[in-house]
Short mmCIF file of all heavy atoms in Angstrom, two decimals:
data_model
loop_
_atom_site.label_atom_id
_atom_site.label_comp_id
_atom_site.label_asym_id
_atom_site.label_seq_id
_atom_site.Cartn_x
_atom_site.Cartn_y
_atom_site.Cartn_z
N MET A 1 0.84 -1.17 0.00
CA MET A 1 0.00 0.00 0.00
C MET A 1 0.88 1.24 0.00
O MET A 1 1.87 1.31 0.70
CB MET A 1 -0.90 0.02 1.23
CG MET A 1 -1.64 1.35 1.37
SD MET A 1 -2.59 1.57 2.86
CE MET A 1 -1.34 1.93 4.05
N ALA A 2 0.48 2.20 -0.79
CA ALA A 2 1.18 3.48 -0.81
C ALA A 2 0.17 4.60 -0.62
O ALA A 2 -0.96 4.50 -1.08
CB ALA A 2 1.90 3.65 -2.13
N THR A 3 0.61 5.63 0.07
CA THR A 3 -0.22 6.81 0.21
C THR A 3 0.60 8.03 -0.17
O THR A 3 1.83 8.03 -0.05
CB THR A 3 -0.74 7.01 1.66
OG1 THR A 3 0.37 7.15 2.52
CG2 THR A 3 -1.60 5.84 2.09
N THR A 4 -0.08 9.04 -0.63
CA THR A 4 0.53 10.34 -0.88
C THR A 4 -0.32 11.35 -0.15
O THR A 4 -1.50 11.53 -0.48
CB THR A 4 0.55 10.67 -2.39
OG1 THR A 4 1.21 9.62 -3.08
CG2 THR A 4 1.26 11.99 -2.65
N CYS A 5 0.25 11.96 0.86
CA CYS A 5 -0.47 12.95 1.65
C CYS A 5 -0.44 14.29 0.93
O CYS A 5 0.62 14.76 0.53
CB CYS A 5 0.15 13.07 3.03
SG CYS A 5 -0.68 14.26 4.09
N PHE A 6 -1.60 14.90 0.74
CA PHE A 6 -1.68 16.22 0.12
C PHE A 6 -1.90 17.32 1.14
O PHE A 6 -1.60 18.47 0.87
CB PHE A 6 -2.81 16.25 -0.92
CG PHE A 6 -2.43 15.61 -2.22
CD1 PHE A 6 -2.45 14.23 -2.37
CD2 PHE A 6 -2.02 16.37 -3.30
CE1 PHE A 6 -2.09 13.63 -3.56
CE2 PHE A 6 -1.65 15.78 -4.50
CZ PHE A 6 -1.69 14.41 -4.62
N PHE A 7 -2.45 16.97 2.30
CA PHE A 7 -2.71 17.97 3.34
C PHE A 7 -2.67 17.29 4.69
O PHE A 7 -3.27 16.23 4.87
CB PHE A 7 -4.09 18.61 3.12
CG PHE A 7 -4.42 19.70 4.10
CD1 PHE A 7 -4.01 21.00 3.87
CD2 PHE A 7 -5.15 19.42 5.25
CE1 PHE A 7 -4.33 22.01 4.78
CE2 PHE A 7 -5.46 20.42 6.15
CZ PHE A 7 -5.05 21.71 5.92
N GLU A 8 -1.96 17.90 5.63
CA GLU A 8 -1.89 17.37 7.00
C GLU A 8 -1.67 18.55 7.93
O GLU A 8 -0.65 19.24 7.83
CB GLU A 8 -0.75 16.38 7.13
CG GLU A 8 -0.62 15.79 8.51
CD GLU A 8 0.52 14.78 8.59
OE1 GLU A 8 1.43 14.81 7.74
OE2 GLU A 8 0.49 13.97 9.53
N GLU A 9 -2.65 18.79 8.81
CA GLU A 9 -2.53 19.95 9.68
C GLU A 9 -3.47 19.82 10.88
O GLU A 9 -4.52 19.18 10.79
CB GLU A 9 -2.89 21.21 8.90
CG GLU A 9 -2.51 22.50 9.56
CD GLU A 9 -2.57 23.68 8.61
OE1 GLU A 9 -2.18 23.55 7.43
OE2 GLU A 9 -3.02 24.74 9.05
N THR A 10 -3.09 20.45 11.97
CA THR A 10 -3.99 20.60 13.10
C THR A 10 -4.78 21.88 12.85
O THR A 10 -4.20 22.94 12.64
CB THR A 10 -3.22 20.72 14.43
OG1 THR A 10 -2.46 19.52 14.60
CG2 THR A 10 -4.16 20.89 15.59
N ILE A 11 -6.09 21.76 12.85
CA ILE A 11 -6.96 22.89 12.52
C ILE A 11 -7.72 23.32 13.77
O ILE A 11 -8.30 22.49 14.47
CB ILE A 11 -7.97 22.50 11.41
CG1 ILE A 11 -7.21 22.04 10.17
CG2 ILE A 11 -8.89 23.67 11.09
CD1 ILE A 11 -8.11 21.46 9.11
N SER A 12 -7.71 24.61 14.03
CA SER A 12 -8.42 25.18 15.18
C SER A 12 -9.64 25.96 14.70
O SER A 12 -9.62 26.56 13.61
CB SER A 12 -7.52 26.14 15.95
OG SER A 12 -6.39 25.50 16.44
N ASP A 13 -10.66 25.98 15.53
CA ASP A 13 -11.83 26.80 15.26
C ASP A 13 -11.39 28.26 15.23
O ASP A 13 -10.48 28.67 15.96
CB ASP A 13 -12.88 26.58 16.35
CG ASP A 13 -14.16 27.35 16.07
OD1 ASP A 13 -14.99 26.83 15.31
OD2 ASP A 13 -14.32 28.47 16.61
N LEU A 14 -12.04 29.06 14.40
CA LEU A 14 -11.68 30.47 14.24
C LEU A 14 -11.66 31.21 15.57
O LEU A 14 -10.72 31.97 15.85
CB LEU A 14 -12.66 31.15 13.28
CG LEU A 14 -12.45 32.65 13.03
CD1 LEU A 14 -11.09 32.89 12.38
CD2 LEU A 14 -13.56 33.19 12.16
N GLU A 15 -12.66 31.01 16.41
CA GLU A 15 -12.73 31.73 17.67
C GLU A 15 -12.44 30.85 18.88
O GLU A 15 -11.91 31.33 19.88
CB GLU A 15 -14.09 32.41 17.82
CG GLU A 15 -14.27 33.52 16.78
CD GLU A 15 -15.55 34.31 16.99
OE1 GLU A 15 -16.26 34.08 17.99
OE2 GLU A 15 -15.85 35.14 16.12
N LYS A 16 -12.82 29.60 18.82
CA LYS A 16 -12.60 28.68 19.94
C LYS A 16 -11.29 27.94 19.72
O LYS A 16 -11.26 26.79 19.30
CB LYS A 16 -13.76 27.70 20.05
CG LYS A 16 -15.11 28.36 20.21
CD LYS A 16 -16.21 27.31 20.10
CE LYS A 16 -17.55 27.97 19.94
NZ LYS A 16 -18.58 27.00 19.54
N LYS A 17 -10.19 28.61 19.98
CA LYS A 17 -8.86 28.07 19.67
C LYS A 17 -8.56 26.75 20.36
O LYS A 17 -7.70 26.00 19.91
CB LYS A 17 -7.78 29.10 20.03
CG LYS A 17 -7.88 30.38 19.25
CD LYS A 17 -7.70 30.15 17.76
CE LYS A 17 -7.74 31.46 17.00
NZ LYS A 17 -7.77 31.27 15.58
N ASP A 18 -9.26 26.44 21.44
CA ASP A 18 -9.02 25.17 22.14
C ASP A 18 -9.74 24.00 21.47
O ASP A 18 -9.49 22.85 21.83
CB ASP A 18 -9.42 25.29 23.61
CG ASP A 18 -10.88 25.65 23.80
OD1 ASP A 18 -11.40 26.46 23.00
OD2 ASP A 18 -11.50 25.13 24.74
N GLU A 19 -10.60 24.27 20.50
CA GLU A 19 -11.28 23.21 19.75
C GLU A 19 -10.50 22.95 18.47
O GLU A 19 -10.44 23.80 17.59
CB GLU A 19 -12.73 23.59 19.47
CG GLU A 19 -13.55 23.68 20.74
CD GLU A 19 -15.03 23.84 20.48
OE1 GLU A 19 -15.49 23.47 19.38
OE2 GLU A 19 -15.72 24.32 21.39
N LYS A 20 -9.90 21.76 18.38
CA LYS A 20 -9.00 21.43 17.27
C LYS A 20 -9.29 20.04 16.74
O LYS A 20 -9.81 19.19 17.45
CB LYS A 20 -7.54 21.47 17.74
CG LYS A 20 -7.11 22.78 18.30
CD LYS A 20 -5.71 22.69 18.83
CE LYS A 20 -5.32 24.02 19.45
NZ LYS A 20 -3.99 24.03 19.99
N ILE A 21 -8.90 19.82 15.50
CA ILE A 21 -8.90 18.48 14.92
C ILE A 21 -7.58 18.28 14.18
O ILE A 21 -7.00 19.23 13.67
CB ILE A 21 -10.09 18.21 13.96
CG1 ILE A 21 -10.07 19.15 12.76
CG2 ILE A 21 -11.41 18.28 14.70
CD1 ILE A 21 -11.04 18.78 11.67
N GLU A 22 -7.14 17.04 14.15
CA GLU A 22 -6.03 16.65 13.30
C GLU A 22 -6.66 16.21 11.98
O GLU A 22 -7.49 15.29 11.96
CB GLU A 22 -5.26 15.48 13.91
CG GLU A 22 -4.65 15.77 15.26
CD GLU A 22 -3.46 16.71 15.16
OE1 GLU A 22 -2.76 16.68 14.13
OE2 GLU A 22 -3.25 17.46 16.12
N PHE A 23 -6.31 16.87 10.87
CA PHE A 23 -6.96 16.62 9.59
C PHE A 23 -5.92 16.30 8.53
O PHE A 23 -4.91 16.99 8.41
CB PHE A 23 -7.77 17.85 9.17
CG PHE A 23 -8.59 17.67 7.92
CD1 PHE A 23 -9.48 16.63 7.79
CD2 PHE A 23 -8.46 18.57 6.89
CE1 PHE A 23 -10.24 16.48 6.63
CE2 PHE A 23 -9.21 18.45 5.72
CZ PHE A 23 -10.10 17.40 5.60
N GLU A 24 -6.16 15.24 7.78
CA GLU A 24 -5.24 14.81 6.72
C GLU A 24 -6.05 14.23 5.58
O GLU A 24 -7.09 13.61 5.79
CB GLU A 24 -4.31 13.73 7.28
CG GLU A 24 -3.35 13.13 6.29
CD GLU A 24 -2.51 12.03 6.90
OE1 GLU A 24 -2.26 12.03 8.12
OE2 GLU A 24 -2.09 11.14 6.12
N PHE A 25 -5.59 14.46 4.35
CA PHE A 25 -6.20 13.78 3.20
C PHE A 25 -5.17 13.59 2.11
O PHE A 25 -4.15 14.27 2.07
CB PHE A 25 -7.45 14.51 2.67
CG PHE A 25 -7.20 15.88 2.10
CD1 PHE A 25 -6.77 16.05 0.80
CD2 PHE A 25 -7.44 17.01 2.87
CE1 PHE A 25 -6.57 17.31 0.27
CE2 PHE A 25 -7.25 18.28 2.36
CZ PHE A 25 -6.81 18.43 1.06
N GLY A 26 -5.46 12.63 1.26
CA GLY A 26 -4.54 12.34 0.17
C GLY A 26 -5.02 11.20 -0.70
O GLY A 26 -6.22 10.94 -0.80
N ARG A 27 -4.04 10.47 -1.27
CA ARG A 27 -4.30 9.37 -2.19
C ARG A 27 -3.79 8.08 -1.58
O ARG A 27 -2.72 8.04 -1.00
CB ARG A 27 -3.56 9.63 -3.50
CG ARG A 27 -3.79 8.55 -4.51
CD ARG A 27 -2.57 8.09 -5.28
NE ARG A 27 -1.31 8.00 -4.61
CZ ARG A 27 -0.65 6.86 -4.39
NH1 ARG A 27 -1.18 5.71 -4.73
NH2 ARG A 27 0.54 6.87 -3.84
N SER A 28 -4.59 7.04 -1.72
CA SER A 28 -4.19 5.72 -1.21
C SER A 28 -4.41 4.68 -2.29
O SER A 28 -5.36 4.74 -3.06
CB SER A 28 -5.03 5.35 0.01
OG SER A 28 -4.75 4.02 0.41
N SER A 29 -3.50 3.69 -2.34
CA SER A 29 -3.66 2.56 -3.27
C SER A 29 -3.90 1.26 -2.50
O SER A 29 -3.65 0.18 -3.01
CB SER A 29 -2.43 2.44 -4.16
OG SER A 29 -1.27 2.17 -3.37
N PHE A 30 -4.39 1.38 -1.27
CA PHE A 30 -4.60 0.22 -0.40
C PHE A 30 -5.47 -0.85 -1.05
O PHE A 30 -5.23 -2.04 -0.89
CB PHE A 30 -5.22 0.68 0.92
CG PHE A 30 -5.37 -0.42 1.94
CD1 PHE A 30 -4.28 -0.83 2.70
CD2 PHE A 30 -6.58 -1.06 2.12
CE1 PHE A 30 -4.41 -1.85 3.63
CE2 PHE A 30 -6.72 -2.07 3.06
CZ PHE A 30 -5.63 -2.47 3.81
N TYR A 31 -6.48 -0.45 -1.79
CA TYR A 31 -7.40 -1.39 -2.43
C TYR A 31 -7.03 -1.67 -3.89
O TYR A 31 -7.85 -2.15 -4.66
CB TYR A 31 -8.84 -0.91 -2.33
CG TYR A 31 -9.34 -0.82 -0.90
CD1 TYR A 31 -9.76 0.38 -0.36
CD2 TYR A 31 -9.36 -1.95 -0.08
CE1 TYR A 31 -10.21 0.46 0.96
CE2 TYR A 31 -9.80 -1.88 1.23
CZ TYR A 31 -10.22 -0.68 1.74
OH TYR A 31 -10.66 -0.59 3.04
N GLY A 32 -5.80 -1.36 -4.28
CA GLY A 32 -5.33 -1.67 -5.62
C GLY A 32 -5.65 -0.64 -6.68
O GLY A 32 -5.40 -0.86 -7.86
N GLU A 33 -6.22 0.48 -6.27
CA GLU A 33 -6.48 1.58 -7.20
C GLU A 33 -6.28 2.89 -6.44
O GLU A 33 -6.27 2.92 -5.22
CB GLU A 33 -7.90 1.50 -7.78
CG GLU A 33 -9.00 1.47 -6.75
CD GLU A 33 -10.38 1.29 -7.37
OE1 GLU A 33 -10.70 1.99 -8.33
OE2 GLU A 33 -11.13 0.45 -6.85
N ASN A 34 -6.06 3.96 -7.18
CA ASN A 34 -5.84 5.26 -6.56
C ASN A 34 -7.17 5.85 -6.10
O ASN A 34 -8.05 6.12 -6.93
CB ASN A 34 -5.16 6.22 -7.53
CG ASN A 34 -3.72 5.84 -7.75
OD1 ASN A 34 -3.01 5.51 -6.80
ND2 ASN A 34 -3.27 5.90 -8.98
N LEU A 35 -7.31 6.04 -4.79
CA LEU A 35 -8.54 6.56 -4.21
C LEU A 35 -8.21 7.61 -3.17
O LEU A 35 -7.11 7.64 -2.62
CB LEU A 35 -9.34 5.42 -3.55
CG LEU A 35 -9.79 4.31 -4.48
CD1 LEU A 35 -10.31 3.13 -3.66
CD2 LEU A 35 -10.85 4.80 -5.45
N MET A 36 -9.19 8.48 -2.87
CA MET A 36 -9.02 9.49 -1.82
C MET A 36 -9.10 8.84 -0.45
O MET A 36 -9.89 7.92 -0.24
CB MET A 36 -10.15 10.52 -1.87
CG MET A 36 -10.01 11.60 -2.85
SD MET A 36 -11.38 12.77 -2.55
CE MET A 36 -11.15 13.83 -3.94
N TYR A 37 -8.28 9.34 0.46
CA TYR A 37 -8.44 8.95 1.86
C TYR A 37 -8.52 10.20 2.71
O TYR A 37 -8.02 11.27 2.33
CB TYR A 37 -7.30 8.05 2.34
CG TYR A 37 -6.02 8.77 2.70
CD1 TYR A 37 -5.82 9.29 3.97
CD2 TYR A 37 -5.02 8.94 1.76
CE1 TYR A 37 -4.65 9.97 4.30
CE2 TYR A 37 -3.85 9.61 2.08
CZ TYR A 37 -3.68 10.12 3.35
OH TYR A 37 -2.53 10.80 3.66
N PHE A 38 -9.19 10.07 3.83
CA PHE A 38 -9.33 11.16 4.80
C PHE A 38 -9.00 10.59 6.17
O PHE A 38 -9.34 9.45 6.47
CB PHE A 38 -10.76 11.71 4.81
CG PHE A 38 -11.16 12.32 3.51
CD1 PHE A 38 -11.77 11.56 2.53
CD2 PHE A 38 -10.91 13.66 3.25
CE1 PHE A 38 -12.13 12.10 1.32
CE2 PHE A 38 -11.26 14.22 2.03
CZ PHE A 38 -11.88 13.44 1.06
N LYS A 39 -8.37 11.40 6.98
CA LYS A 39 -8.07 11.00 8.35
C LYS A 39 -8.38 12.19 9.26
O LYS A 39 -7.88 13.29 9.03
CB LYS A 39 -6.60 10.61 8.48
CG LYS A 39 -6.21 10.07 9.83
CD LYS A 39 -4.75 9.61 9.80
CE LYS A 39 -4.30 9.11 11.15
NZ LYS A 39 -2.88 8.76 11.15
N VAL A 40 -9.23 11.96 10.25
CA VAL A 40 -9.60 12.99 11.22
C VAL A 40 -9.42 12.39 12.61
O VAL A 40 -10.05 11.37 12.92
CB VAL A 40 -11.05 13.47 11.02
CG1 VAL A 40 -11.42 14.51 12.07
CG2 VAL A 40 -11.25 14.04 9.62
N ASN A 41 -8.55 13.01 13.40
CA ASN A 41 -8.32 12.54 14.77
C ASN A 41 -8.10 11.03 14.84
O ASN A 41 -8.77 10.32 15.59
CB ASN A 41 -9.46 12.95 15.69
CG ASN A 41 -9.53 14.45 15.89
OD1 ASN A 41 -8.57 15.17 15.64
ND2 ASN A 41 -10.67 14.93 16.32
N ASP A 42 -7.21 10.52 14.03
CA ASP A 42 -6.81 9.11 14.02
C ASP A 42 -7.88 8.15 13.48
O ASP A 42 -7.73 6.93 13.60
CB ASP A 42 -6.35 8.63 15.40
CG ASP A 42 -5.06 9.33 15.83
OD1 ASP A 42 -4.21 9.58 14.95
OD2 ASP A 42 -4.92 9.63 17.02
N VAL A 43 -8.96 8.66 12.90
CA VAL A 43 -9.94 7.81 12.23
C VAL A 43 -9.73 8.02 10.73
O VAL A 43 -9.89 9.13 10.21
CB VAL A 43 -11.39 8.18 12.62
CG1 VAL A 43 -12.38 7.36 11.82
CG2 VAL A 43 -11.59 8.00 14.12
N ALA A 44 -9.33 6.94 10.03
CA ALA A 44 -9.04 7.03 8.60
C ALA A 44 -10.06 6.25 7.80
O ALA A 44 -10.57 5.22 8.26
CB ALA A 44 -7.64 6.49 8.32
N LEU A 45 -10.36 6.76 6.61
CA LEU A 45 -11.22 6.01 5.70
C LEU A 45 -10.82 6.31 4.27
O LEU A 45 -10.28 7.36 3.96
CB LEU A 45 -12.70 6.32 5.93
CG LEU A 45 -13.17 7.77 5.82
CD1 LEU A 45 -13.59 8.09 4.40
CD2 LEU A 45 -14.33 7.98 6.75
N ILE A 46 -11.07 5.33 3.42
CA ILE A 46 -10.80 5.44 1.99
C ILE A 46 -12.15 5.41 1.29
O ILE A 46 -12.97 4.53 1.56
CB ILE A 46 -9.92 4.27 1.50
CG1 ILE A 46 -8.58 4.27 2.24
CG2 ILE A 46 -9.70 4.37 -0.01
CD1 ILE A 46 -7.73 3.03 2.01
N VAL A 47 -12.39 6.38 0.42
CA VAL A 47 -13.69 6.46 -0.24
C VAL A 47 -13.62 5.89 -1.66
O VAL A 47 -12.57 5.91 -2.30
CB VAL A 47 -14.24 7.90 -0.27
CG1 VAL A 47 -14.43 8.43 1.15
CG2 VAL A 47 -13.35 8.84 -1.06
N ASP A 48 -14.75 5.38 -2.13
CA ASP A 48 -14.82 4.86 -3.50
C ASP A 48 -14.68 6.01 -4.49
O ASP A 48 -14.81 7.18 -4.14
CB ASP A 48 -16.14 4.10 -3.71
CG ASP A 48 -17.34 5.01 -3.54
OD1 ASP A 48 -17.73 5.68 -4.52
OD2 ASP A 48 -17.88 5.07 -2.40
N GLU A 49 -14.39 5.66 -5.75
CA GLU A 49 -14.12 6.68 -6.76
C GLU A 49 -15.31 7.63 -6.96
O GLU A 49 -15.13 8.84 -7.07
CB GLU A 49 -13.75 6.04 -8.10
CG GLU A 49 -13.40 7.07 -9.16
CD GLU A 49 -12.99 6.48 -10.49
OE1 GLU A 49 -12.81 5.25 -10.57
OE2 GLU A 49 -12.87 7.26 -11.44
N LYS A 50 -16.52 7.09 -7.00
CA LYS A 50 -17.70 7.93 -7.22
C LYS A 50 -17.82 8.98 -6.11
O LYS A 50 -18.05 10.16 -6.39
CB LYS A 50 -18.96 7.07 -7.26
CG LYS A 50 -20.23 7.84 -7.51
CD LYS A 50 -21.43 6.91 -7.55
CE LYS A 50 -22.72 7.70 -7.72
NZ LYS A 50 -23.90 6.83 -7.70
N THR A 51 -17.65 8.57 -4.87
CA THR A 51 -17.72 9.50 -3.76
C THR A 51 -16.57 10.50 -3.81
O THR A 51 -16.76 11.70 -3.56
CB THR A 51 -17.71 8.74 -2.42
OG1 THR A 51 -18.81 7.83 -2.40
CG2 THR A 51 -17.82 9.69 -1.23
N GLY A 52 -15.37 10.03 -4.14
CA GLY A 52 -14.22 10.92 -4.26
C GLY A 52 -14.43 12.00 -5.30
O GLY A 52 -14.11 13.17 -5.07
N ARG A 53 -15.00 11.62 -6.43
CA ARG A 53 -15.28 12.61 -7.48
C ARG A 53 -16.32 13.63 -7.00
O ARG A 53 -16.21 14.82 -7.29
CB ARG A 53 -15.75 11.92 -8.75
CG ARG A 53 -14.65 11.18 -9.47
CD ARG A 53 -15.14 10.54 -10.77
NE ARG A 53 -14.07 9.85 -11.43
CZ ARG A 53 -13.17 10.43 -12.24
NH1 ARG A 53 -13.24 11.73 -12.46
NH2 ARG A 53 -12.20 9.73 -12.80
N LYS A 54 -17.32 13.16 -6.29
CA LYS A 54 -18.36 14.05 -5.77
C LYS A 54 -17.76 15.04 -4.76
O LYS A 54 -18.05 16.23 -4.80
CB LYS A 54 -19.47 13.23 -5.12
CG LYS A 54 -20.66 14.03 -4.68
CD LYS A 54 -21.76 13.10 -4.17
CE LYS A 54 -22.98 13.88 -3.73
NZ LYS A 54 -24.04 12.99 -3.25
N ILE A 55 -16.91 14.54 -3.87
CA ILE A 55 -16.26 15.42 -2.89
C ILE A 55 -15.40 16.46 -3.60
O ILE A 55 -15.47 17.66 -3.28
CB ILE A 55 -15.40 14.59 -1.91
CG1 ILE A 55 -16.30 13.75 -1.01
CG2 ILE A 55 -14.49 15.50 -1.07
CD1 ILE A 55 -15.56 12.68 -0.22
N ALA A 56 -14.60 16.03 -4.58
CA ALA A 56 -13.73 16.95 -5.31
C ALA A 56 -14.54 18.03 -6.02
O ALA A 56 -14.20 19.23 -5.97
CB ALA A 56 -12.87 16.18 -6.31
N GLU A 57 -15.63 17.63 -6.66
CA GLU A 57 -16.48 18.58 -7.38
C GLU A 57 -17.08 19.61 -6.42
O GLU A 57 -17.07 20.81 -6.70
CB GLU A 57 -17.59 17.83 -8.11
CG GLU A 57 -18.54 18.73 -8.88
CD GLU A 57 -19.63 17.93 -9.56
OE1 GLU A 57 -19.32 16.93 -10.23
OE2 GLU A 57 -20.81 18.32 -9.40
N GLN A 58 -17.58 19.14 -5.30
CA GLN A 58 -18.21 20.07 -4.36
C GLN A 58 -17.18 20.96 -3.65
O GLN A 58 -17.49 22.12 -3.33
CB GLN A 58 -19.06 19.30 -3.35
CG GLN A 58 -20.24 18.59 -4.00
CD GLN A 58 -21.09 19.51 -4.87
OE1 GLN A 58 -21.41 20.63 -4.49
NE2 GLN A 58 -21.43 19.04 -6.07
N MET A 59 -15.98 20.46 -3.43
CA MET A 59 -14.92 21.31 -2.87
C MET A 59 -14.53 22.40 -3.87
O MET A 59 -14.28 23.55 -3.48
CB MET A 59 -13.71 20.48 -2.46
CG MET A 59 -13.94 19.62 -1.24
SD MET A 59 -14.43 20.54 0.24
CE MET A 59 -12.90 21.35 0.64
N GLU A 60 -14.49 22.06 -5.15
CA GLU A 60 -14.22 23.07 -6.18
C GLU A 60 -15.33 24.13 -6.19
O GLU A 60 -15.05 25.32 -6.30
CB GLU A 60 -14.10 22.43 -7.55
CG GLU A 60 -12.82 21.67 -7.76
CD GLU A 60 -12.74 20.98 -9.12
OE1 GLU A 60 -13.66 21.17 -9.95
OE2 GLU A 60 -11.76 20.26 -9.34
N ASN A 61 -16.59 23.69 -6.08
CA ASN A 61 -17.72 24.62 -6.03
C ASN A 61 -17.62 25.54 -4.82
O ASN A 61 -17.87 26.74 -4.92
CB ASN A 61 -19.05 23.87 -6.01
CG ASN A 61 -19.37 23.20 -7.33
OD1 ASN A 61 -18.82 23.56 -8.38
ND2 ASN A 61 -20.23 22.21 -7.30
N LEU A 62 -17.27 24.97 -3.67
CA LEU A 62 -17.11 25.78 -2.46
C LEU A 62 -15.99 26.79 -2.63
O LEU A 62 -16.15 27.97 -2.28
CB LEU A 62 -16.84 24.87 -1.26
CG LEU A 62 -16.50 25.58 0.06
CD1 LEU A 62 -17.64 26.50 0.49
CD2 LEU A 62 -16.17 24.56 1.12
N ALA A 63 -14.86 26.36 -3.16
CA ALA A 63 -13.72 27.27 -3.37
C ALA A 63 -14.11 28.42 -4.30
O ALA A 63 -13.76 29.57 -4.05
CB ALA A 63 -12.52 26.50 -3.93
N ALA A 64 -14.85 28.11 -5.37
CA ALA A 64 -15.29 29.16 -6.30
C ALA A 64 -16.25 30.12 -5.60
O ALA A 64 -16.14 31.34 -5.75
CB ALA A 64 -15.95 28.52 -7.51
N TYR A 65 -17.17 29.58 -4.84
CA TYR A 65 -18.14 30.39 -4.12
C TYR A 65 -17.44 31.36 -3.15
O TYR A 65 -17.82 32.52 -3.02
CB TYR A 65 -19.12 29.49 -3.36
CG TYR A 65 -20.17 30.24 -2.59
CD1 TYR A 65 -21.32 30.71 -3.22
CD2 TYR A 65 -20.02 30.47 -1.22
CE1 TYR A 65 -22.29 31.40 -2.50
CE2 TYR A 65 -20.97 31.17 -0.50
CZ TYR A 65 -22.12 31.64 -1.15
OH TYR A 65 -23.06 32.32 -0.44
N LEU A 66 -16.40 30.88 -2.48
CA LEU A 66 -15.66 31.70 -1.51
C LEU A 66 -14.62 32.60 -2.17
O LEU A 66 -13.99 33.40 -1.51
CB LEU A 66 -14.98 30.80 -0.49
CG LEU A 66 -15.93 29.99 0.41
CD1 LEU A 66 -15.14 29.00 1.25
CD2 LEU A 66 -16.77 30.90 1.28
N GLY A 67 -14.44 32.47 -3.49
CA GLY A 67 -13.47 33.29 -4.20
C GLY A 67 -12.03 32.86 -3.99
O GLY A 67 -11.11 33.65 -4.09
N TYR A 68 -11.82 31.56 -3.68
CA TYR A 68 -10.48 31.06 -3.43
C TYR A 68 -9.72 30.70 -4.69
O TYR A 68 -8.52 30.46 -4.63
CB TYR A 68 -10.54 29.80 -2.54
CG TYR A 68 -10.96 30.05 -1.11
CD1 TYR A 68 -11.14 28.98 -0.26
CD2 TYR A 68 -11.17 31.32 -0.60
CE1 TYR A 68 -11.52 29.16 1.06
CE2 TYR A 68 -11.55 31.52 0.71
CZ TYR A 68 -11.72 30.43 1.55
OH TYR A 68 -12.10 30.62 2.85
N HIS A 69 -10.38 30.65 -5.82
CA HIS A 69 -9.68 30.29 -7.06
C HIS A 69 -8.78 31.42 -7.49
O HIS A 69 -9.09 32.60 -7.33
CB HIS A 69 -10.71 29.99 -8.17
CG HIS A 69 -11.34 28.65 -8.00
ND1 HIS A 69 -11.22 27.67 -8.94
CD2 HIS A 69 -12.09 28.12 -7.01
CE1 HIS A 69 -11.87 26.59 -8.52
NE2 HIS A 69 -12.42 26.86 -7.36
N ARG A 70 -7.68 31.03 -8.07
CA ARG A 70 -6.70 32.03 -8.54
C ARG A 70 -7.14 32.64 -9.83
O ARG A 70 -7.77 32.13 -10.64
CB ARG A 70 -5.33 31.38 -8.76
CG ARG A 70 -4.78 30.84 -7.51
CD ARG A 70 -3.45 30.19 -7.79
NE ARG A 70 -3.41 29.00 -6.93
CZ ARG A 70 -2.61 28.00 -7.09
NH1 ARG A 70 -1.78 27.99 -8.10
NH2 ARG A 70 -2.61 26.99 -6.30
#
C-alpha cells in the first residue's frame, strides 16, 4: 500500500482556539487503485471513486463560491 499525503494539519476553530482536529487527506492505493483517503483525529477512511469525485467537485464549487480560485 502506498499513500501520498496532500494535506496534513492541526486545525483550530476560528474563535474557539481550544477546539481542534487533526486533519489529513490524500491518495491511497490500499485497495489496488488510486482513491481518496481522509483522516480525522486518528480515524481514517478510503472512499470509493464515485464519492471521491463528488467530494472533489463540491470542494471546487465551495472554493469558487468563496473566491479562493486564482
Side-chain angles (χ1 to χ4, degrees):
M1 171 186 77
T3 61
T4 305
C5 180
F6 281 80
F7 183 86
E8 180 179 20
E9 194 166 320
T10 300
I11 302 172
S12 299
D13 184 84
L14 178 63
E15 293 186 6
K16 302 172 193 167
K17 298 298 183 189
D18 59 323
E19 294 189 22
K20 301 176 183 180
I21 61 169
E22 299 288 330
F23 185 54
E24 177 183 333
F25 64 83
R27 180 223 37 114
S28 174
S29 62
F30 185 80
Y31 296 120
E33 56 184 313
N34 288 317
L35 298 169
M36 279 186 187
Y37 79 87
F38 297 90
K39 185 175 178 184
V40 178
N41 293 341
D42 294 323
V43 175
L45 58 90
I46 300 170
V47 299
D48 62 85
E49 182 179 351
K50 181 179 177 183
T51 302
R53 288 182 180 276
K54 186 175 180 180
I55 292 167
E57 180 181 311
Q58 296 308 315
M59 289 302 288
E60 287 178 4
N61 289 340
L62 174 60
Y65 180 82
L66 295 173
Y68 290 175
H69 284 241
R70 297 179 218 163

